[in-house]
Amino acid sequence: MDAGIKELPRIFHTPPHFLHDNPTASADNLDLTFPVIDLAGGRKDIVDKIRDSSENWGFFQIVNHGVPLTTMDEMKASVHRFFHQDISEKKEFFGTDPTGKVVYLTNERDWSDLMLVDMAPDPPRPEQLPSTMRDVLREYSDEMFRLGDLLLELLSEALGLDPGHLKGMECAANLGIASHYYPVCPQPELTLGITNHTDLGFVTVLLQDHVGGLQVLHRDFWVDVPPRPDALVVNIGDMLQVIDHWL
């Protein structure tokens, strides 16, 4: 897009069956309500709702989670600042080695740019972070560590375990922040931002912007997740599902 292309390169074309053969439904017309859990409620009620949502959806939104709205807004703004820079400013982070501390890349087949920052257990030095995101990344990471500890406690209890069980297994030892950016597309009918996938880790906490477009697979339908400025989306990852079966 920086180069002013008018046609979508074929590498980004999504196979037609992905675009047309997957039924999509809104929560309204299927009488589905995406689960929203208020973390200011009673502990037993929260644990029960997390158990039900995790089993039946694999996803849920949380509100009253304690992460300041100003921090969430600044995190989103910092991502836009980074990706809206001139390419000359971004290229120092560009690379194809996903093991780096800070990596900026274009997804191999999806219409998406991606910034990956490995914040734990060995965080990058401040000077290694993009200047447009430096301060808020540290602040946001601290909030995610705090929230992650709470979520692992609640998930442990939902599994019938001691609240510290999952954290004791070092499920909170690693923290990576992935920032996705979807440029304006010259031929949006030919592609998707990110194709269907699962997340590899234990838990993903997703901060949506106001644009929408996020969908989850439920009852063989792709269901829209309505963006809420005060909410975060929790995704049960592959590793947590493996642990659940093992336990």
Side-chain angles (χ1 to χ4, degrees):
M1 292 308 298
D2 288 345
I5 64 169
K6 302 300 181 183
E7 294 185 1
L8 189 72
R10 182 164 293 275
I11 190 176
F12 295 110
H13 288 201
T14 300
H17 67 275
F18 277 111
L19 292 172
H20 305 298
D21 296 345
N22 294 293
T24 300
S26 70
D28 294 334
N29 63 34
L30 269 188
D31 193 26
L32 296 175
T33 302
F34 190 79
V36 180
I37 300 174
D38 187 348
L39 295 189
R43 184 84 170 195
K44 183 179 184 306
D45 183 56
I46 293 171
V47 170
D48 289 344
K49 288 180 178 177
I50 285 180
R51 181 187 304 111
D52 180 71
S53 300
S54 299
E55 289 178 348
N56 293 304
W57 285 81
F59 295 84
F60 50 89
Q61 280 181 323
I62 52 174
V63 295
N64 289 316
H65 40 68
V67 181
L69 189 59
T70 52
T71 302
M72 294 164 62
D73 288 343
E74 176 56 23
M75 187 66 222
K76 287 183 284 189
S78 74
V79 173
H80 279 270
R81 286 196 300 267
F82 175 81
F83 286 110
H84 287 175
Q85 293 180 107
D86 187 84
I87 190 65
S88 63
E89 301 291 330
K90 295 181 287 188
K91 67 180 182 180
E92 68 173 289
F93 300 102
F94 190 80
T96 56
D97 179 9
T99 64
K101 291 293 180 185
V102 183
V103 180
Y104 162 56
L105 49 85
T106 294
N107 206 314
E108 290 182 358
R109 61 172 181 162
D110 296 332
W111 188 250
S112 166
D113 278 358
L114 177 62
M115 165 65 79
L116 294 170
V117 183
D118 185 7
M119 295 299 294
D122 182 23
R125 300 185 304 275
E127 61 270 21
Q128 291 178 292
L129 297 171
S131 60
T132 54
M133 308 173 72
R134 188 170 298 153
D135 293 335
V136 71
L137 268 173
R138 292 184 299 223
E139 180 181 351
Y140 190 74
S141 296
D142 289 343
E143 293 291 344
M144 288 301 104
F145 272 120
R146 179 196 59 77
L147 180 59
D149 285 348
L150 174 59
L151 287 172
L152 289 175
E153 284 185 8
L154 295 169
L155 287 164
S156 294
E157 292 180 40
L159 290 167
L161 304 169
D162 180 83
H165 192 97
L166 290 176
K167 188 176 179 182
M169 296 175 65
E170 297 190 350
C171 294
N174 296 79
L175 174 65
I177 294 181
S179 302
H180 294 274
Y181 177 71
Y182 309 97
V184 174
C185 183
Q187 295 175 294
E189 72 279 5
L190 297 179
T191 191
L192 291 173
I194 290 186
T195 48
N196 54 338
H197 66 280
T198 60
D199 284 2
L200 297 177
F202 290 99
V203 176
T204 297
V205 178
L206 176 62
L207 172 60
Q208 281 181 282
D209 64 13
H210 64 285
V211 175
L214 175 65
Q215 294 182 319
V216 302
L217 187 64
H218 181 66
R219 300 184 192 173
D220 297 322
F221 284 90
W222 288 101
V223 179
D224 296 324
V225 180
R228 290 183 51 161
D230 62 336
L232 294 163
V233 179
V234 178
N235 178 0
I236 304 301
D238 294 343
M239 289 300 296
L240 185 52
Q241 294 186 60
V242 169
I243 286 177
D244 181 23
H245 288 295
W246 178 65
L247 293 170

